[in-house]
Amino acid sequence: MADIAVLGHGVVGSGVLEVLLSHRESIAKRAKEELNVKYILDIREFPDLPYCDRFTKDFDRILNDDSVKIVVEVMGGLEPAFPYVKACLEHGKSVVTSNKELVAAKGAELLAIAQRNNLNFLFEASVGGGIPIIRPISQCLAANEVSEIAGILNGTTNFILTKMIREHMGFEEALELAQQLGYAERDPAADVEGDDACRKICILASLAFGTHVYPRDVHTEGITHVTLGDVGYAEAWGGVIKLIGEVKTLEYGKIQIEVCPMFVSRESQLSSVDDVFNGIMVRGDATGDVVFYGKGAGKLPTASAVVADVIDCVKHFKARKYLFWEDAKPGYVEPYENMVEDVFIRAKGNDSDAAFEVVEQVFEGAERLIRREEEEGEIGFTVKDVKVKELEARFARLKELGVEPLNHIKISDF
Amino acid sequence: MADIAVLGHGVVGSGVLEVLLSHRESIAKRAKEELNVKYILDIREFPDLPYCDRFTKDFDRILNDDSVKIVVEVMGGLEPAFPYVKACLEHGKSVVTSNKELVAAKGAELLAIAQRNNLNFLFEASVGGGIPIIRPISQCLAANEVSEIAGILNGTTNFILTKMIREHMGFEEALELAQQLGYAERDPAADVEGDDACRKICILASLAFGTHVYPRDVHTEGITHVTLGDVGYAEAWGGVIKLIGEVKTLEYGKIQIEVCPMFVSRESQLSSVDDVFNGIMVRGDATGDVVFYGKGAGKLPTASAVVADVIDCVKHFKARKYLFWEDAKPGYVEPYENMVEDVFIRAKGNDSDAAFEVVEQVFEGAERLIRREEEEGEIGFTVKDVKVKELEARFARLKELGVEPLNHIKISDF
């Protein structure tokens, strides 16, 4: 019998208990050993639960119980998750976590401690909820050079954008609906500002390319500035707007990484990933594009990914799983301003046709888009190979010539 | 250094060598050991290849060389692949194969020998080419009860159907094009009759539900009888026709499994899997629907999946991977005739409206579809909950009443 401890009894934590209890037999068969939750750490009490006797408020009890070889951290956040997880690894306990903030902020450090002590630090649930993605990238694609990963990594924003695209609902209204349905938090900043997606693409980039990428080094835009006008122009262009986390390898061992809304062609598999679903595309030199699709969040999908990691831990007590990456290094992430991108730009003048003539002076080769219900004076157009660092100057030039730039959105190449 | 032998130097075999040679360093890093191809078994000679000195025509040399711990079988077919693989496992060598015919016909027997001798028998490449699917089902979904798997498992037929749907090309013309492009063999029977897809769904069903399913026990229809008329009715219904391999759990520990063309709703993620791509949906009680998408065949995708298995073998020399299923048991697969399905039926009478009146007498609740360019006297309609065993009698009744049934196609529920 394998004794485990679960840190945190919130949404994911209670889901982990639910999965462990409802699938007890099949899990024991797969792990070749019965799993016993010996402790659940939470500051609250749950006297009505059948397993209420497992609760403790004392982390040290868990830390100092040598029978506990696996600790599940599902508290979220860095405090006290980080010191707790670190202490567990230093005390010879393998750790399974669903905490993307922790992995994105402290992954390299924790993986190094795990390696030193020949323990597992597993985090399948931190990206894509119940979609298997960490393991396929690290194992199945072992015989591939991965050159790019692009994904719809946040279900909340994808739900909002889907409502905007399919039902022409405004951003605010769609956000409210998402909150009513429980898809968005009361403070939705981490989702709509792109921070959640940023943590996830950092984890995937770190894993696929072997060097830790910190969220602070990643250009991150959310979807708060996306309008129904932009959605209409994307349709006219032949696609949809999705919030994408993307990382690519560049020459000289560098990478390009960013999180922002993008025009995604209807031909792309990612364009049909709708509602709260996630989709992640992994481009390998041998496999071509492989896409993983499913519910990226939610109690049971996330919990089942956590439990799968626990089973893996039990089966491999003596053989550490090979998950590892180095700490960050200077100059590894190409600065955003050095990027060259295809972009869509929405602007406003007095007269649409006249405004586009101005645009053509400033952006050579601009291609105009016409959307349904276009407003007087509004124009939308695409430009190829724009240097990000030159955009501001070009926008200033447009303004001088009487055309007000309102928004710009990257055009994806997948 | 790990010595391996490769049986067969055809498309996949030469791909395996290409991947091993071109990714030598990164593979050694991941396997924590260098991989050395000591033998390549082929009846042909390849004097111009840089590794021509590794070729042998003598299988016994490989079998009796104790330094070879891993054998890669990429010959295809059962003879001599089956006796060779069996002999390898009996001589203490782990085996990696891409041979779906072998796994579908002999999986239970070979897995039992591997288990007895504490060896690995791995076959990630046998389904979905370079798409990771065997490992995610067996590992990542360990904490889930899988209730259904449905997939587009054959790229050749998917290419043909895509041409029929998008370009209104007839079946024969699309098949010829597929042959010209190298997507279909000169004798296309195994693809277009559904046998290839059948082997793959048998492997997935065996793995997911723990009991071997043999292709002979699976109702299998190909796409040769699908017409442009059917494609038009599918469009009118709101979907597309795809060749689907599907398995579901039933009550009393039974399963329902079949391979046939199906109407797939445009809302389904599988409906947008086009051309030579494969897509596989796995429905779990905790994860919900997870979809895996990518190139299901081809030299390099398949070879990279083989090599990933080899790397896994090397890393786990002392820890057998837990892949196992029991042999088939009587009464486990529900007979096709017992199934109850929603179906689309295309028929012909003298006059369309009159014919549909006849249809309504025979199929209560039939819903008529009207396709573009419908022919004089033609009708298409859908019926819910039809017992398969009653279809023939109902078709006979239709004929008596002057309406000729021409085709029927299952309507999917995913």
Side-chain angles (χ1 to χ4, degrees), chain B residues 276-292:
Chain B
V276 292
F277 286 87
N278 286 14
I280 300 160
M281 186 272 285
V282 180
R283 182 166 287 174
D285 63 347
T287 54
D289 292 358
V290 177
V291 177
F292 302 84

PDB file of all heavy atoms in Angstrom, chain B residues 276-292:
ATOM      1  N   VAL B 276      -5.171  13.242 -45.503  1.00  0.00           N
ATOM      2  CA  VAL B 276      -4.596  11.979 -45.015  1.00  0.00           C
ATOM      3  C   VAL B 276      -4.441  11.964 -43.494  1.00  0.00           C
ATOM      4  O   VAL B 276      -3.821  11.059 -42.936  1.00  0.00           O
ATOM      5  CB  VAL B 276      -3.200  11.706 -45.641  1.00  0.00           C
ATOM      6  CG1 VAL B 276      -3.342  11.433 -47.121  1.00  0.00           C
ATOM      7  CG2 VAL B 276      -2.251  12.861 -45.386  1.00  0.00           C
ATOM      8  N   PHE B 277      -5.020  12.953 -42.812  1.00  0.00           N
ATOM      9  CA  PHE B 277      -4.868  13.007 -41.363  1.00  0.00           C
ATOM     10  C   PHE B 277      -5.765  11.998 -40.647  1.00  0.00           C
ATOM     11  O   PHE B 277      -6.787  11.576 -41.179  1.00  0.00           O
ATOM     12  CB  PHE B 277      -5.156  14.421 -40.860  1.00  0.00           C
ATOM     13  CG  PHE B 277      -4.041  15.372 -41.183  1.00  0.00           C
ATOM     14  CD1 PHE B 277      -3.998  16.032 -42.399  1.00  0.00           C
ATOM     15  CD2 PHE B 277      -3.010  15.567 -40.280  1.00  0.00           C
ATOM     16  CE1 PHE B 277      -2.949  16.881 -42.712  1.00  0.00           C
ATOM     17  CE2 PHE B 277      -1.958  16.420 -40.587  1.00  0.00           C
ATOM     18  CZ  PHE B 277      -1.932  17.079 -41.799  1.00  0.00           C
ATOM     19  N   ASN B 278      -5.323  11.617 -39.461  1.00  0.00           N
ATOM     20  CA  ASN B 278      -6.118  10.779 -38.566  1.00  0.00           C
ATOM     21  C   ASN B 278      -6.562  11.606 -37.367  1.00  0.00           C
ATOM     22  O   ASN B 278      -5.892  12.567 -36.984  1.00  0.00           O
ATOM     23  CB  ASN B 278      -5.277   9.617 -38.020  1.00  0.00           C
ATOM     24  CG  ASN B 278      -5.019   8.534 -39.044  1.00  0.00           C
ATOM     25  OD1 ASN B 278      -5.227   8.728 -40.236  1.00  0.00           O
ATOM     26  ND2 ASN B 278      -4.564   7.396 -38.588  1.00  0.00           N
ATOM     27  N   GLY B 279      -7.666  11.227 -36.774  1.00  0.00           N
ATOM     28  CA  GLY B 279      -8.112  11.846 -35.529  1.00  0.00           C
ATOM     29  C   GLY B 279      -8.749  10.775 -34.670  1.00  0.00           C
ATOM     30  O   GLY B 279      -9.534   9.963 -35.177  1.00  0.00           O
ATOM     31  N   ILE B 280      -8.412  10.765 -33.405  1.00  0.00           N
ATOM     32  CA  ILE B 280      -8.926   9.715 -32.517  1.00  0.00           C
ATOM     33  C   ILE B 280      -9.511  10.362 -31.274  1.00  0.00           C
ATOM     34  O   ILE B 280      -8.843  11.126 -30.582  1.00  0.00           O
ATOM     35  CB  ILE B 280      -7.795   8.742 -32.122  1.00  0.00           C
ATOM     36  CG1 ILE B 280      -7.219   8.087 -33.386  1.00  0.00           C
ATOM     37  CG2 ILE B 280      -8.322   7.663 -31.159  1.00  0.00           C
ATOM     38  CD1 ILE B 280      -5.837   7.518 -33.192  1.00  0.00           C
ATOM     39  N   MET B 281     -10.773  10.066 -30.995  1.00  0.00           N
ATOM     40  CA  MET B 281     -11.460  10.615 -29.832  1.00  0.00           C
ATOM     41  C   MET B 281     -11.544   9.545 -28.751  1.00  0.00           C
ATOM     42  O   MET B 281     -11.963   8.426 -29.021  1.00  0.00           O
ATOM     43  CB  MET B 281     -12.862  11.056 -30.248  1.00  0.00           C
ATOM     44  CG  MET B 281     -13.653  11.781 -29.190  1.00  0.00           C
ATOM     45  SD  MET B 281     -14.600  10.692 -28.099  1.00  0.00           S
ATOM     46  CE  MET B 281     -15.942  10.223 -29.176  1.00  0.00           C
ATOM     47  N   VAL B 282     -11.106   9.893 -27.558  1.00  0.00           N
ATOM     48  CA  VAL B 282     -11.179   8.982 -26.422  1.00  0.00           C
ATOM     49  C   VAL B 282     -12.105   9.630 -25.392  1.00  0.00           C
ATOM     50  O   VAL B 282     -11.854  10.748 -24.955  1.00  0.00           O
ATOM     51  CB  VAL B 282      -9.784   8.746 -25.802  1.00  0.00           C
ATOM     52  CG1 VAL B 282      -9.872   7.791 -24.613  1.00  0.00           C
ATOM     53  CG2 VAL B 282      -8.814   8.213 -26.850  1.00  0.00           C
ATOM     54  N   ARG B 283     -13.188   8.934 -25.035  1.00  0.00           N
ATOM     55  CA  ARG B 283     -14.154   9.494 -24.094  1.00  0.00           C
ATOM     56  C   ARG B 283     -13.943   8.850 -22.721  1.00  0.00           C
ATOM     57  O   ARG B 283     -14.064   7.637 -22.574  1.00  0.00           O
ATOM     58  CB  ARG B 283     -15.570   9.224 -24.618  1.00  0.00           C
ATOM     59  CG  ARG B 283     -16.676   9.785 -23.771  1.00  0.00           C
ATOM     60  CD  ARG B 283     -17.999   9.771 -24.535  1.00  0.00           C
ATOM     61  NE  ARG B 283     -18.006  10.809 -25.579  1.00  0.00           N
ATOM     62  CZ  ARG B 283     -18.988  10.962 -26.482  1.00  0.00           C
ATOM     63  NH1 ARG B 283     -20.019  10.148 -26.479  1.00  0.00           N
ATOM     64  NH2 ARG B 283     -18.908  11.928 -27.376  1.00  0.00           N
ATOM     65  N   GLY B 284     -13.594   9.680 -21.736  1.00  0.00           N
ATOM     66  CA  GLY B 284     -13.363   9.161 -20.395  1.00  0.00           C
ATOM     67  C   GLY B 284     -14.358   9.764 -19.418  1.00  0.00           C
ATOM     68  O   GLY B 284     -14.870  10.856 -19.661  1.00  0.00           O
ATOM     69  N   ASP B 285     -14.621   9.061 -18.324  1.00  0.00           N
ATOM     70  CA  ASP B 285     -15.621   9.587 -17.390  1.00  0.00           C
ATOM     71  C   ASP B 285     -15.131  10.835 -16.679  1.00  0.00           C
ATOM     72  O   ASP B 285     -15.915  11.713 -16.333  1.00  0.00           O
ATOM     73  CB  ASP B 285     -16.069   8.516 -16.381  1.00  0.00           C
ATOM     74  CG  ASP B 285     -14.949   8.035 -15.480  1.00  0.00           C
ATOM     75  OD1 ASP B 285     -13.773   8.318 -15.769  1.00  0.00           O
ATOM     76  OD2 ASP B 285     -15.256   7.365 -14.476  1.00  0.00           O
ATOM     77  N   ALA B 286     -13.824  10.953 -16.467  1.00  0.00           N
ATOM     78  CA  ALA B 286     -13.301  12.142 -15.792  1.00  0.00           C
ATOM     79  C   ALA B 286     -12.837  13.198 -16.789  1.00  0.00           C
ATOM     80  O   ALA B 286     -13.107  14.384 -16.628  1.00  0.00           O
ATOM     81  CB  ALA B 286     -12.164  11.764 -14.851  1.00  0.00           C
ATOM     82  N   THR B 287     -12.144  12.790 -17.851  1.00  0.00           N
ATOM     83  CA  THR B 287     -11.569  13.776 -18.773  1.00  0.00           C
ATOM     84  C   THR B 287     -12.561  14.334 -19.763  1.00  0.00           C
ATOM     85  O   THR B 287     -12.299  15.356 -20.379  1.00  0.00           O
ATOM     86  CB  THR B 287     -10.443  13.163 -19.619  1.00  0.00           C
ATOM     87  OG1 THR B 287     -10.967  12.001 -20.245  1.00  0.00           O
ATOM     88  CG2 THR B 287      -9.243  12.824 -18.785  1.00  0.00           C
ATOM     89  N   GLY B 288     -13.697  13.651 -19.965  1.00  0.00           N
ATOM     90  CA  GLY B 288     -14.546  14.033 -21.086  1.00  0.00           C
ATOM     91  C   GLY B 288     -13.890  13.560 -22.375  1.00  0.00           C
ATOM     92  O   GLY B 288     -13.136  12.591 -22.370  1.00  0.00           O
ATOM     93  N   ASP B 289     -14.161  14.260 -23.472  1.00  0.00           N
ATOM     94  CA  ASP B 289     -13.601  13.855 -24.758  1.00  0.00           C
ATOM     95  C   ASP B 289     -12.217  14.449 -24.953  1.00  0.00           C
ATOM     96  O   ASP B 289     -12.037  15.657 -24.864  1.00  0.00           O
ATOM     97  CB  ASP B 289     -14.488  14.340 -25.915  1.00  0.00           C
ATOM     98  CG  ASP B 289     -15.827  13.639 -25.934  1.00  0.00           C
ATOM     99  OD1 ASP B 289     -16.052  12.755 -25.092  1.00  0.00           O
ATOM    100  OD2 ASP B 289     -16.650  13.982 -26.796  1.00  0.00           O
ATOM    101  N   VAL B 290     -11.270  13.595 -25.262  1.00  0.00           N
ATOM    102  CA  VAL B 290      -9.934  14.048 -25.616  1.00  0.00           C
ATOM    103  C   VAL B 290      -9.683  13.581 -27.044  1.00  0.00           C
ATOM    104  O   VAL B 290     -10.006  12.448 -27.387  1.00  0.00           O
ATOM    105  CB  VAL B 290      -8.878  13.467 -24.653  1.00  0.00           C
ATOM    106  CG1 VAL B 290      -7.483  13.873 -25.070  1.00  0.00           C
ATOM    107  CG2 VAL B 290      -9.148  13.927 -23.227  1.00  0.00           C
ATOM    108  N   VAL B 291      -9.172  14.479 -27.899  1.00  0.00           N
ATOM    109  CA  VAL B 291      -8.951  14.125 -29.294  1.00  0.00           C
ATOM    110  C   VAL B 291      -7.468  14.263 -29.646  1.00  0.00           C
ATOM    111  O   VAL B 291      -6.825  15.239 -29.254  1.00  0.00           O
ATOM    112  CB  VAL B 291      -9.786  15.012 -30.242  1.00  0.00           C
ATOM    113  CG1 VAL B 291      -9.497  14.672 -31.702  1.00  0.00           C
ATOM    114  CG2 VAL B 291     -11.276  14.846 -29.959  1.00  0.00           C
ATOM    115  N   PHE B 292      -6.951  13.285 -30.347  1.00  0.00           N
ATOM    116  CA  PHE B 292      -5.575  13.282 -30.806  1.00  0.00           C
ATOM    117  C   PHE B 292      -5.603  13.369 -32.326  1.00  0.00           C
ATOM    118  O   PHE B 292      -6.317  12.604 -32.967  1.00  0.00           O
ATOM    119  CB  PHE B 292      -4.875  11.997 -30.380  1.00  0.00           C
ATOM    120  CG  PHE B 292      -4.894  11.780 -28.897  1.00  0.00           C
ATOM    121  CD1 PHE B 292      -5.989  11.192 -28.278  1.00  0.00           C
ATOM    122  CD2 PHE B 292      -3.839  12.184 -28.105  1.00  0.00           C
ATOM    123  CE1 PHE B 292      -6.022  11.003 -26.902  1.00  0.00           C
ATOM    124  CE2 PHE B 292      -3.865  12.001 -26.733  1.00  0.00           C
ATOM    125  CZ  PHE B 292      -4.953  11.410 -26.130  1.00  0.00           C
TER     126      PHE B 292
END
